[in-house]
Structures are given as C-alpha cells and as structure tokens.
Amino acid sequence: MSAYDHGEHPQPDPCCFVIFGASGDLTQRLLTPALYNLAATDLLPDSFALVGVARGEETDEGFRNFLEKALREFATRPLTRKTIARLLRNVSYVRADPGQEGSFGRLKAHLEKVDATVGCGGNRIFYLATPPAGFVPIVTALGEAGMVRQDRRSWRRVIVEKPFGHDLESARRLNAALLEILEEEQIFRMDHYLGKETVQNIMMLRFANGLFEPVWNRNHIDHVQITVAETVDVGRRGRFYDATGALRDMVPNHLFQLLSLIAMEPPSRFDANAVRAAKAAVLQAIGQYTPAEALRNSVRAAYDAGVVRGQKVGAYRDAPDVAPDSHTETYVAMKLMIDTWRWAGVPFYLRTGKALGVRKSEVAIRFKEAPISMFRNTPVDRLAQNFLVLGIQPDEHIKLHFNVKAPGPELEIRGVDMTFRYSDFFDAAPSTGYETLIYDCMTGDGMLFQRADAVEAGWAAVDPFLRAWARENEKNGARDLASYPAGTDGPEEANRLIERDGRSWRPLT
C-alpha cells in the first residue's frame, strides 16, 4: 500500500498536473475536490501547477473561477481561503484538440513555460478525463509532440479513466496503441474503487493477520459473494448505458478488483509489481465457460417501473435515449470458478445492478459449517452461517457472524455479529476516493492501478458471457432478458441461480 495509507507522508516531486477534459463533470465533481484534500493535508508538492486542457475557449482566470466554483459545490471537507489559494495559485488553461494541427505544439510550449515559472522540473501527469474515444488520439498527439518522453531528470505519467475497452479485442487494441508510445510504468489505469479504504484493507486483513490466512482456502470456505448494488437508475445516461450494460460497466473493473484481492496468492514482496502480478494471476485463472455454460451460470435483467427510496422510477426501456426494444442489462448475476489449488470447488457469486432497493457494496466470505453431530439430541436444527463480511459502501466495516449459546438453562444457539467500523476508530475526513490514487501516481506507486495483463484477463473472463448473450440476442432479442421491479433486490432468476447450489444471497436490506 502507498505511504499515504500508512500515515507516512513523503512529499511528491514537483509536478504539473494536466487535465484533458478539464471542463467536464469528472474534473468538477471529483478531481478538483480530491486535489484540494491533498493540499489540505500537505500532500501536494510545493511546486505544483494545474493546467486545464479542453476544446473550448477559456481564459486562465475563467478556468480558475470554474475550479473554485466546483470546490464550493462539491468539496468533501470545510474550505479555507489559504488552501484554496495554494491549490489555485498556479492554474492555467490551454485550448487544444488532437485533431487540430499545431495545438499540441502550443500546449508543449505552454508547459515548458510553466516548468520555468513554477519549477516543476519537467515532471508531468496527464490525466485523461475524457470519453474513451479520446484516449489514443490524445496520447498519440502527446507522443508526436515529444511530451511523454522521460529522462533521468524528469518523469511523465498518464492516468487513463475507465472504461478501458469495450470487450477483449478492443482492450487489446487500446493496450497495444498506448504501449507503442508509453512504457507500462508510465500508464496508470484508474479504477476509483481501489481508492476506497475497505478495498485497500482487504490485503491488510488477509496478510497482516495470522488469524485469517490459514483458513483462507477451499478447506474452510464454502463460497464467496460479491455485491455492488446501486439505487440510482440510468437517468440521462441512456445513450452511454444502452451501448454498455451492467456487465461491461461494473464486472471487469470494480467487481474483479474485489475478487482479485480476495482470491490472490500472497505476493512475494509488498510492491507494485508483485501485487499486480498476483492479482493478474487470479483473473487469468478464472474458469472459461462454453457458451451454454455461460448462459447457465449467469442472469441478466432490466428494471421495470417501481419505487426506489420513496421515489417513482420508470422502466429502463422508457428512459431517454434507450431503445424501446433494448436488450441491454441493468442487472447481472454470475457464478465463477477459479482454477487454482486454493479455490478449487469454491464458487464465487457476483451480482450488480441499478435501481435496486438499497445501495450496498460488500464482499461476504461464507465459511463451511461445523459438524453438528454433537448437537443431535438438542433442539438445534441448524447452526447460523459463519460469514466474514467486508462492507465497502456506504458503511465501511468488517463483520464476523458466528454462533454463541444464548443465556438460559436450555441449549439454544444463536448467531451474533462482531463488527468493526472504521468511523469508530479513525477520524478520517470524507474524501472522493481519488486522493490516494492521485497521490500514488505523483509518487510513482502503481500498486493500486491496473496493469495491461490484468485488464485483458478481466475481459477474457467475461468474454464467454458477452458472446453467449450476443448469440441469444440474435435469436430471441429482448425476450431473453429477465426483469425486476425498481426498488427490489433484483430478479427472481438470480435467486434460482444460487439456490440450485443449495445456497442463498445475503439480503440487501
């Protein structure tokens, strides 16, 4: 884990932080508040410049006002004039477009001027806060202008937002295109889920406690459930979402990040290369299904009209920019197997969906039952299930569910919870989840970022599902899609997926 997470705070090198897509929603809602939080905790370098790049006309002062307005609206902690001034004292704006001849030459000249004025030492982070279609053109233009070439005195790094590809082939093409221009160590593939404290602490829980690692295997674990449930509907993102769907949007990135941390082998060393190699190995070991097996081991559904948190929600197919006969899923559940010695025979059940009744992200590890023969002549019919639950959002916690004897003369066993909540022990200020990741990029720590092989392994694992579903769409169209009322736990078909194995989902509520 980064020094940021351990309370050690080495100052990053001087640098220039260049945001492509500087006028967009990501800059406004997440990047600007995250940079402010780093400034407030003295984790920005003393020599720091922020350069916005977009296609529209804007002045330096106008961009500075845009950033300050974003802070007023989206800050996660109280603002001070001193910290605002520190963050915004070296702000500038450049109009540039990779399709516009000469504009990246002007950007290069501007950055060299900033280096000379602010003293950034030639160190630069290029943050691609743009739609995916802009990734390759921007990096290509940066390469042609000589702006990503490193030397002993300065470094150049590129942060790429998700989605990283649309399927296996597009991910391979994108990796190949970027690696023609950049070294792997220069590419920081962002998944903001890895900025969450509970996600980072999965490794601490496993490898820093002799209590858990001896039982973290097929001999003691019955199955694993990974849930990312959202109450939000598609809203105005219909055009994007109808071309993407729940699987592409969530599984190869967020859910697989959780899966790889839970299932990885202990890394040989606690550094970025060893940890990322261990995570990639897990994804590469996910069993490959035939099309028939993929259909049998997955459920996809779209929400119908319903009520979420007291608010009426229309059906997905009635949302703006969604095709009336859409066969895009807003919910997916699947069963995966990992072909390693540690996990042979242990199913991993994944589910994610929109417009559900509760917002919840968690990993639940179900341990095997203790032998109950000793209780044969007692009223005990069944012991409570032993679950270790890692709550990720909105309530960050670790919970252990185990059995105890209830007070009284009769033998009555009850399940109880022992819960650790981060808020009870740590006075952590609210954050966007991007602070750790931006800081790690500044310090050159790639542990919490995805490597090319892991990205491709993730897409390879879901590729059988995408192919099988596409084939079913051609035959049956939207008829093959299950449905669920908005505001519920999801489709009944998802319950049958896990119940046929004699198991059940943990309730969302």
Side-chain angles (χ1 to χ4, degrees), residues 339-406:
D339 296 334
T340 63
W341 181 94
R342 181 185 293 267
W343 298 110
V346 178
F348 283 69
Y349 299 98
L350 282 60
R351 59 176 170 167
T352 183
K354 290 193 173 296
L356 297 172
V358 173
R359 176 176 175 256
K360 178 185 285 188
S361 296
E362 70 172 30
V363 178
I365 295 100
R366 161 76 193 282
F367 291 94
K368 291 182 177 180
E369 284 188 351
I372 61 173
S373 59
M374 64 179 290
F375 303 112
R376 186 177 294 117
N377 298 319
T378 73
V380 176
D381 297 320
R382 184 178 179 85
L383 301 180
Q385 296 180 355
N386 293 143
F387 269 107
L388 178 65
V389 180
L390 311 177
I392 295 160
Q393 65 179 18
D395 178 22
E396 291 187 311
H397 66 273
I398 300 174
K399 179 188 298 183
L400 183 63
H401 191 67
F402 58 98
N403 292 285
V404 299
K405 179 189 176 297

Side-chain angles (χ1 to χ4, degrees), residues 220-242:
H220 300 280
I221 293 178
D222 178 79
H223 73 277
V224 177
Q225 297 182 25
I226 301 177
T227 299
V228 178
E230 300 180 290
T231 53
V232 296
D233 58 11
V234 172
R236 298 182 179 275
R237 299 173 69 234
R239 189 180 304 278
F240 161 79
Y241 203 86
D242 210 36

Side-chain angles (χ1 to χ4, degrees), residues 300-363:
R300 57 194 180 117
Y303 61 82
D304 286 333
V307 177
V308 179
R309 293 183 172 178
Q311 300 293 320
K312 290 184 178 180
V313 173
Y316 170 69
R317 293 189 181 96
D318 294 333
D321 299 319
V322 173
D325 60 347
S326 171
H327 48 68
T328 298
E329 78 286 351
T330 63
Y331 177 101
V332 61
M334 56 178 54
K335 172 185 174 182
L336 298 174
M337 306 299 291
I338 299 177
D339 296 334
T340 63
W341 181 94
R342 181 185 293 267
W343 298 110
V346 178
F348 283 69
Y349 299 98
L350 282 60
R351 59 176 170 167
T352 183
K354 290 193 173 296
L356 297 172
V358 173
R359 176 176 175 256
K360 178 185 285 188
S361 296
E362 70 172 30
V363 178

